[in-house]
Amino acid sequence: MPPSADEPTAPREPLPPKDDQTGPETVSPTGQPTGADQARNAQSGAYLTTAQGARLYDTDHSLKAGPRGPVLLQDHHLREKITHFDHERIPERVVHARGAAAHGVFRGYGSAAKISKAAFLAKDVETPVFVRFSTVLGSRGSADTVRDTRGFATKFYTEEGVFDLVGNNIPVFFIQDAIKFPDVIHAGKPHPDREIPQAQSAHDTFWDFVTLHSEATHHTLWNMSDRGIPRSYRTMEGFGVHTFRLVDAEGASTLVKFHWKPKLGVHSQVWEEAQIASGVDPDFHRRDLADAIEAGAFPQWELGVQTFPDNPEQMFQGIDLLDPTKIVPEELAPVQPIGLMTLDANPSNFFAETEQVAFHVGNMVPGIDVTNDPLLQGRLFSYVDTQLTRLGGPNFPQLPINRTHAPVNDMLRDGMHQTAVHRGVAPYRPNSLDGGCPFLAGADNGAFVEVPAEVAASRKVREAPESFDDHFSQPRLFWLSMTPVEREHIIAAYTFELGKCYEQVIKERALKVLARIDAQLCEQVAAGLGLPAPEPDGPLADPEPSPALSQVGGVWPLDGRVIGIVADKDADLDGVRAVRDAVEGAGMVPLVIAPAGGVLDADGDPVTVQRTYATARSIEFDAVLLAGAPGAGADAIGARDAKAGAAGTATDPRVILLLNEAYRHAKAIGTWAGGDGVLASAGVPQDAPGVVTGATGSEVLEEVKQLLGMHRVWDRFPATV
């Protein structure tokens, strides 16, 4: 409902949520469908009340002894309001504090039926999901586009209970054993003496740790690649990281690795783009996800598995499947699609859903089980333990976003925030006073039964198997699998991050690690640091490259791409209308950029302005189109907007900056109706790759669409490595 200019005074019920929003399913604390409208969980009534429902006549003034006070202790409304405010914040997550989430549905293909009896994987079974994306190192108030690993956690509300697939956008991890997890996080977090730098790995403690723990080399290399700065959550791959077991109806088990493949392809930002976004729009990723869903451009991912025989060695092609710092190249074990996930609704309340959702790798259903991966084993303990502190006690599964959609009869009682109203007198078993209920189930009626895997008879040790000792062959595999432009980005990332370190010895130690990956990588980074490149202290591996690891070279759908169209009142507005309609028709999002807000051509078919020269930066757009040669805006005054520079130029300096940034960030640029001269002013050669000029906007757009399918115009900047 549009807001009114004046304060509304006529009482009315709360407004409904927006069309793109939904909340948790209305099930009871014990998993029973209630059939209630979701509004039953929201505020109701037209009048302001206390928490107990008593209507209030004033909330702007404390109860005082006379107008000048003092304030009276008996003011129950003041005390309730302030006390609740004082306790509004709960402890943020130690890791993955900065997140965004969405509701959706998962539909099974049925192709997993031969390896798993999990009911939600059966053909055409639709399961509600809630997905939370996050950064690892930053606080809740940090920026979205920092260089970091991203969390990709999915809660499946299956008919057999909750299944949580809690993974990352990188398929390997820094460490092989969970006992080191506090160490790697302490190293990556801000330094304890100054609490800086925030949400960054470009500092001494991080590099001190990862260069002393060579098992971290593989994950670090992924993080220094374009994977560390995704373009969008919608274009981010997800991985289960660990090897899991799937169990079929006969009890036979198969080892698997889970993969989420985005239908839009895997795309990233360039580093300068990410830095600009962190300053001008620190909510870039969460805004992109929410806006896409609201616009109906629902992001989708296919869930796939790599499968391996569950043999006693738990090895595949010489790769230890229990080592979380290793991948299995897709060329050796193809990813087989088993279902499709679509995110189609935004949360209706960030705190109640995104912030309070509690994931746990131990939330499994029949047909899925764990392995002895030592990192996974530690996670099985850690997740429940951390929720007890964050969410105030053991009843966090009863929070609406965490409630299972399967019946619950757990014999767990009492505790803080108990919202179930249990019946009976015998919360123990066996019992006779409650008629023997609850009863144990067997595998034949849906019980979760652990795989009876053999446990090797051995001595107690604090050791790792010898197969965990290879820390460099897979980083070299990753490097050799990158295209030249991706290698350039990795070199730049290492040079920047190590250049931010103060300690010379850490830089020198890092170069010794890089020498074990590739001589050219080491030499280029060493040159940027002004240090000699060391020789490797061991032989370099000779793996077969895996093209599946590269993000460059494919052609992808255009759904949800954002096109900036620069125009003013004198532009070819008929052309702008045609381009706007064609962009929308192609499933993309057009945003008109003009000197000021409002509409262009108010007397005709109006063209609504979504961005102004003061608010538009290239980071928001996948391509920029120029409808003519727009003049300077009235606010092009350096004292008012530093981006405007000197006043009096023919073209607004902020348009020049927009085009120049888009060019540097390898984005498609198009112009018609006399915008060629503006390109020259922006330092954009007309004959450069990805620069399109034409007679009409529609003609230009058709060529730009072809370029967008490849994400960026990488040919614009030839690589040297």
Side-chain angles (χ1 to χ4, degrees):
M1 179 178 176
S4 59
D6 298 324
E7 178 184 354
T9 56
R12 58 155 298 147
E13 291 290 318
L15 294 173
K18 296 193 297 182
D19 291 340
D20 63 292
Q21 294 177 321
T22 190
E25 294 289 331
T26 51
V27 294
S28 75
T30 54
Q32 300 299 305
T34 65
D37 190 302
Q38 289 186 359
R40 295 288 295 273
N41 291 329
Q43 67 272 30
S44 62
Y47 295 96
L48 179 68
T49 72
T50 68
Q52 305 302 320
R55 290 183 180 180
L56 294 161
Y57 70 91
D58 187 294
T59 192
D60 293 329
H61 305 93
S62 302
L63 187 65
K64 298 185 280 292
R68 300 182 64 82
V71 173
L72 301 178
L73 181 62
Q74 75 178 67
D75 189 348
H76 62 94
H77 176 43
L78 167 68
R79 285 186 286 116
E80 179 187 73
K81 187 175 182 180
I82 294 296
T83 298
H84 194 281
F85 172 77
D86 289 344
H87 297 272
E88 278 182 1
R89 293 295 173 263
I90 64 174
E92 69 176 28
R93 290 168 170 86
V94 177
V95 290
H96 299 276
R98 173 75 176 183
H103 294 273
V105 63
F106 176 83
R107 179 173 58 83
Y109 290 163
S111 52
K114 59 182 179 294
I115 57 173
S116 177
K117 61 184 178 183
F120 79 98
L121 296 176
K123 184 172 177 58
D124 294 331
V125 171
E126 293 193 347
T127 302
V129 297
F130 188 71
V131 181
R132 187 178 188 271
F133 305 102
S134 56
T135 53
V136 172
L137 293 177
S139 68
R140 276 189 62 190
S142 58
D144 280 347
T145 58
V146 296
R147 183 180 294 280
D148 196 0
T149 307
R150 264 70 181 180
F152 192 132
T154 307
K155 186 176 290 291
F156 297 81
Y157 302 95
T158 87
E159 63 184 38
E160 298 177 297
V162 168
F163 168 53
D164 286 345
L165 182 54
V166 194
N168 289 332
N169 73 320
I170 292 176
V172 293
F173 203 63
F174 287 108
I175 52 175
Q176 296 168 323
D177 193 305
I179 201 169
K180 293 183 181 181
F181 191 76
D183 300 309
V184 67
I185 297 303
H186 288 167
K189 284 284 190 177
H191 294 197
D193 56 349
R194 301 183 182 184
E195 188 63 12
I196 55 174
Q198 176 63 246
Q200 295 182 53
S201 55
H203 55 90
D204 289 275
T205 59
F206 173 82
W207 287 98
D208 187 39
F209 180 88
V210 299
T211 56
L212 289 171
H213 285 77
S214 54
E215 70 196 65
T217 302
H218 195 192
H219 187 120
T220 303
L221 182 59
W222 277 76
N223 222 28
M224 294 302 106
S225 77
D226 291 342
R227 302 281 184 147
I229 42 175
R231 159 65 179 85
S232 163
Y233 290 138
R234 298 179 292 127
T235 61
M236 190 174 80
E237 203 165 7
F239 304 91
V241 179
H242 310 287
T243 299
F244 292 83
R245 277 191 173 90
L246 295 187
V247 186
D248 66 18
E250 283 70 46
S253 61
T254 303
L255 299 182
V256 302
K257 285 184 175 291
F258 289 107
H259 294 247
W260 287 111
K261 297 285 189 181
K263 298 291 276 186
L264 297 178
V266 186
H267 307 301
S268 298
Q269 294 182 317
V270 297
W271 180 227
E272 184 190 52
E273 193 177 13
Q275 291 175 297
I276 294 171
S278 289
V280 302
D281 188 4
D283 304 305
F284 186 85
H285 283 152
R286 59 170 61 179
R287 189 189 312 281
D288 174 270
L289 178 67
D291 285 355
I293 292 173
E294 185 173 6
F298 302 144
Q300 293 183 315
W301 290 260
E302 272 194 320
L303 179 62
V305 291
Q306 291 177 293
T307 63
F308 319 100
D310 191 359
N311 53 39
E313 297 78 24
Q314 296 177 320
M315 303 280 289
F316 183 81
Q317 300 281 329
I319 301 168
D320 193 327
L321 297 175
L322 299 187
D323 183 349
T325 68
K326 301 291 195 301
I327 63 166
V328 177
E330 293 183 29
E331 290 76 13
L332 298 180
V335 176
Q336 305 169 54
I338 62 174
L340 179 70
M341 180 172 72
T342 304
L343 298 184
D344 56 10
N346 287 311
S348 56
N349 184 276
F350 184 91
F351 177 80
E353 299 170 76
T354 307
E355 189 61 20
Q356 290 196 130
V357 66
F359 295 96
H360 176 32
V361 288
N363 288 343
M364 292 176 291
V365 294
I368 302 176
D369 205 348
V370 299
T371 60
N372 289 345
D373 175 337
L375 181 61
L376 174 58
Q377 293 281 311
R379 293 178 75 194
L380 289 169
F381 166 79
S382 178
Y383 280 70
V384 171
D385 191 51
T386 192
Q387 307 301 355
L388 293 173
T389 297
R390 286 198 66 246
L391 300 175
N395 291 311
F396 62 84
Q398 295 182 14
L399 292 167
I401 193 62
N402 296 323
R403 290 178 184 175
T404 178
H405 295 184
V408 174
N409 196 344
D410 54 18
M411 295 195 303
L412 304 176
R413 294 293 185 267
D414 305 339
M416 293 181 67
H417 312 304
Q418 175 62 258
T419 55
V421 182
H422 296 104
R423 297 178 180 178
V425 298
Y428 55 85
R429 73 163 314 279
N431 74 74
S432 62
L433 296 178
D434 282 346
C437 188
F439 299 90
L440 296 178
D444 57 340
N445 49 17
F448 180 89
V449 180
E450 291 82 1
V451 173
E454 293 288 337
V455 178
S458 185
R459 57 193 175 88
K460 292 186 292 185
V461 296
R462 292 189 183 272
E463 297 176 1
E466 290 185 11
S467 53
F468 278 38
D469 290 344
D470 175 14
H471 299 161
F472 295 106
S473 63
Q474 289 219 334
R476 180 158 174 78
L477 162 68
F478 184 81
W479 169 260
L480 294 177
S481 302
M482 295 295 99
T483 60
V485 69
E486 290 171 303
R487 293 184 185 183
E488 292 283 6
H489 294 166
I490 291 171
I491 290 168
Y494 271 103
T495 305
F496 174 86
E497 297 253 331
L498 291 169
K500 298 285 281 187
C501 292
Y502 291 98
E503 301 295 340
Q504 190 80 349
V505 68
I506 291 176
K507 301 177 187 179
E508 294 170 352
R509 192 191 307 142
L511 291 174
K512 291 181 180 179
V513 172
L514 295 182
R516 294 293 305 273
I517 300 174
D518 185 81
Q520 194 174 35
L521 169 62
C522 182
E523 290 166 2
Q524 294 293 320
V525 175
L529 298 176
L531 295 172
E535 293 295 320
D537 58 7
L540 299 186
D542 188 26
E544 189 69 26
S546 171
L549 296 176
S550 172
Q551 296 181 206
V552 176
V555 178
W556 305 100
L558 304 184
D559 306 56
R561 292 285 182 171
V562 181
I563 312 300
I565 308 169
V566 183
D568 64 6
K569 62 182 179 59
D570 298 320
D572 172 22
L573 295 182
D574 287 336
V576 171
R577 294 184 187 97
V579 167
R580 180 192 60 191
D581 294 345
V583 168
E584 288 181 335
M588 300 185 291
V589 179
L591 294 178
V592 175
I593 308 164
V599 296
L600 301 175
D601 194 13
D603 297 329
D605 179 8
V607 175
T608 301
V609 176
Q610 285 90 15
R611 299 291 184 272
T612 66
Y613 294 169
T615 61
R617 292 296 289 269
S618 72
I619 58 169
E620 188 174 8
F621 310 110
D622 295 291
V624 176
L625 306 182
L626 190 62
D635 63 340
I637 302 169
R640 187 175 301 167
D641 185 347
K643 300 191 302 299
T649 55
T651 301
D652 196 295
R654 293 164 296 186
V655 174
I656 300 295
L657 176 64
L658 178 70
L659 293 169
N660 184 263
E661 285 179 350
Y663 181 77
R664 295 203 311 270
H665 301 159
K667 295 179 179 180
I669 298 172
T671 184
W672 75 96
D676 305 3
V678 180
L679 295 182
S681 299
V684 177
Q686 269 188 249
D687 58 351
V691 178
V692 181
T693 59
T696 67
S698 298
E699 175 187 319
V700 168
L701 178 63
E702 283 306 307
E703 193 169 341
V704 166
K705 285 164 61 178
Q706 299 300 314
L707 295 166
L708 283 171
M710 295 175 283
H711 181 57
R712 302 280 175 139
V713 188
W714 298 123
D715 292 344
R716 189 174 292 162
F717 304 109
T720 62
V721 294

